[in-house]
Amino acid sequence: MSTDASVPLAKNEDSPRGFAFALTAYLLWGFLPIYMKAVAHISPAEVIAHRIVWSLPLAGIVLIVLGRTQDIRAALRSPRMLAMAALTASLITVNWGTYVWAIGAGHSLDAALGYFINPLFSIFLGAVFLKEKLQPLQIAAIALAALAVAILALDSGGIPWVALTLAVSWGFYALLRKTLPLGPNQGFFLEVLILSGPALLYILYLEFGGHGHLYRTGLADTTLLLGCGVITAVPLMIYANGAKLLKLSTIGIMQYIAPTMIFLIAVFVFHEPFGTARMIAFPLIWAGLFLYSWSMLKGSRGR
């Protein structure tokens, strides 16, 4: 995510505070499947609507505390910025919706695979859209990821759409967010602000139609749905502040924490099947990520 344009750029070095922020965010994302499993009896669309609506006040409070509300006022007067934010908001909604469905439907391993693939897909997008030159190790990493996807596709008789949807939606989201001239907290607030109208209408439709879970089905569901704002907004904003205090290479390595935790939870807590195809595909992805990380660290030392 981009840094706040109104804040001086941090030095390209790691800080203990930044590491603590980023580690906290990734650990929270790593444990998120357990929370999503608790709301698996609620439709993904309803869960996403609550994630959006209850994130809005939290993100707004953060902007007020940081004194960044003027950035939002400027963005609301810019049709181009609103259009870009609407596009990124749509992509993040697809990502969230796919993730929530995957956890509830017993496809947590596919979700982990998607987030393992994501860094390699982002390299590919950088080469295609930003004309970034690929290093030989990066090309090899992408090839290993493509081979892993092909193995899973052959095994299942179709493409691993959950993993690819997560990787593609987040990859394009990150790419487009680079073009949105807003800091990470402001950008997140603008996105949920755009989505909050339809989300609130959907929640009201469900509640008045007798199909919602906010008040109708007990205190546990109410608490879980209200908590969707916390589990959505807090890790994102903690991460955004940590990323500004760390080297890009450090963030690049730390991003594997969450999918590794999702993988472990899927196998050892949710007991999802880990067949032969996955036994081949996951090590291929991990090998690709090792090559990508090695290439990134070599580049960092060179600079």
Side-chain angles (χ1 to χ4, degrees):
M1 291 187 179
S2 59
T3 54
D4 189 334
S6 62
V7 177
L9 289 175
K11 294 179 181 179
N12 185 31
E13 59 186 30
D14 293 329
S15 76
R17 185 163 166 260
F19 184 83
F21 275 141
L23 180 61
T24 300
Y26 282 120
L27 289 175
L28 289 172
W29 279 326
F31 283 114
L32 186 58
I34 295 175
Y35 196 100
M36 290 296 103
K37 203 69 160 179
V39 295
H41 61 289
I42 302 174
S43 74
E46 186 175 359
V47 172
I48 296 305
H50 283 281
R51 291 188 74 172
I52 292 166
V53 167
W54 305 120
S55 293
L56 187 63
L58 289 175
I61 290 170
V62 169
L63 291 186
I64 292 171
V65 171
L66 295 177
R68 302 291 179 209
T69 55
Q70 69 275 11
D71 297 339
I72 298 300
R73 288 195 291 268
L76 292 174
R77 292 193 294 268
S78 170
R80 178 182 176 277
M81 201 174 295
L82 285 174
M84 287 297 299
L87 183 55
T88 58
S90 300
L91 286 168
I92 199 64
T93 302
V94 170
N95 187 273
W96 286 350
T98 304
Y99 179 83
V100 172
W101 179 88
I103 301 300
H107 292 276
S108 302
L109 277 172
D110 292 329
L113 180 67
Y115 289 120
F116 277 129
I117 292 173
N118 179 68
L120 305 178
F121 183 69
S122 293
I123 298 173
F124 173 77
L125 289 180
V128 172
F129 292 99
L130 304 179
K131 307 304 178 185
E132 295 175 356
K133 186 178 180 181
L134 291 178
Q135 302 300 317
L137 287 178
Q138 293 175 328
I139 295 173
I142 293 172
L144 286 172
L147 178 59
V149 170
I151 289 171
L152 291 172
L154 287 172
D155 179 68
S156 64
I159 62 171
W161 69 269
V162 170
L164 290 180
T165 300
L166 289 172
V168 170
S169 60
W170 185 262
F172 276 106
Y173 172 79
L175 179 70
L176 292 173
R177 273 298 269 117
K178 288 180 180 293
T179 68
L180 191 64
L182 276 178
N185 293 326
Q186 298 94 311
F188 175 69
F189 177 84
L190 186 58
E191 287 164 352
V192 292
L193 179 64
I194 290 170
L195 295 169
S196 61
L200 182 59
L201 288 175
Y202 183 66
I203 291 171
L204 293 174
Y205 164 76
L206 291 176
E207 293 302 322
F208 285 109
H211 305 294
H213 292 78
L214 183 58
Y215 297 113
R216 193 175 57 87
T217 55
L219 181 61
D221 284 350
T222 299
T223 303
L224 287 169
L225 289 174
L226 291 175
C228 283
V230 175
I231 58 98
T232 300
V234 170
L236 274 171
M237 291 186 288
I238 290 175
Y239 167 83
N241 288 281
K244 294 187 293 185
L245 302 173
L246 292 174
K247 294 177 184 176
L248 183 61
S249 57
T250 303
I251 285 291
I253 299 300
M254 292 183 73
Q255 68 185 317
Y256 306 143
I257 294 172
T260 299
M261 291 178 65
I262 296 170
F263 172 83
L264 294 173
I265 289 171
V267 174
F268 296 107
V269 178
F270 298 160
H271 303 293
E272 292 188 11
F274 193 62
T276 303
R278 284 173 169 170
M279 288 182 185
I280 298 171
F282 270 90
L284 286 173
I285 293 292
W286 294 331
L289 291 174
F290 174 79
L291 293 178
Y292 157 71
S293 301
W294 181 253
S295 172
M296 183 173 54
L297 289 173
K298 281 179 63 180
S300 178
R301 284 199 298 267
R303 288 190 295 273

